[in-house]
Amino acid sequence: MRTLCASTLIGEFFVIGFAGLVAMKGDISDAVVWTVCGIAMLLSVLLCGMLSRPGAIQIGWVLQIGLIASGFVVPTMFILGAVFAGLWWASVHYGRKIDEAKARWAAQASAEPDAA
């Protein structure tokens, strides 16, 4: 699960940075755009390092909700936040399924006698 979640967070980092560049072309000041986008980018990278800690998935959900809420400041973030929340859900959901399958395979491999 950590690999999928980390990949999603790194993807968010880059896309939010590019979205910030696009948002600067509008009527929003550069300082506002980079404050919103910069905080979101920083939190995405920091959360990557925390994924093995308890509560990291919940903190990831807080980040996703924050990204959607940042749409009130930078309207582009409404769409990106919703997309990223969907990606985060998929990363958590399918990541857990992958972890369960890997654990089953490891248990089966350890239960089989060595063929040496």
Side-chain angles (χ1 to χ4, degrees):
M1 178 173 60
R2 288 183 291 183
T3 302
L4 286 175
C5 290
S7 299
T8 299
L9 291 168
I10 294 300
E12 286 182 19
F13 173 84
F14 285 108
V15 172
I16 291 168
F18 292 133
L21 293 172
V22 171
M24 287 175 28
K25 300 286 184 186
D27 56 350
I28 303 169
S29 75
D30 294 355
V32 170
V33 170
W34 283 117
T35 299
V36 171
C37 292
I39 290 171
M41 290 169 67
L42 178 66
L43 291 175
S44 294
V45 171
L46 289 176
L47 188 55
C48 279
M50 295 176 45
L51 284 173
S52 61
R53 303 224 183 239
I57 301 303
Q58 291 78 11
I59 294 171
W61 280 114
V62 171
L63 174 63
Q64 305 313 314
I65 292 167
L67 288 175
I68 294 170
S70 69
F72 290 109
V73 179
V74 180
T76 308
M77 294 305 292
F78 278 125
I79 296 167
L80 285 177
V83 169
F84 286 139
L87 285 172
W88 184 253
W89 175 85
S91 297
V92 171
H93 178 74
Y94 292 111
R96 285 188 176 140
K97 288 186 179 224
I98 291 169
D99 288 348
E100 290 169 2
K102 287 167 70 176
R104 275 194 315 272
W105 295 334
Q108 287 174 352
S110 66
E112 293 175 0
D114 289 335

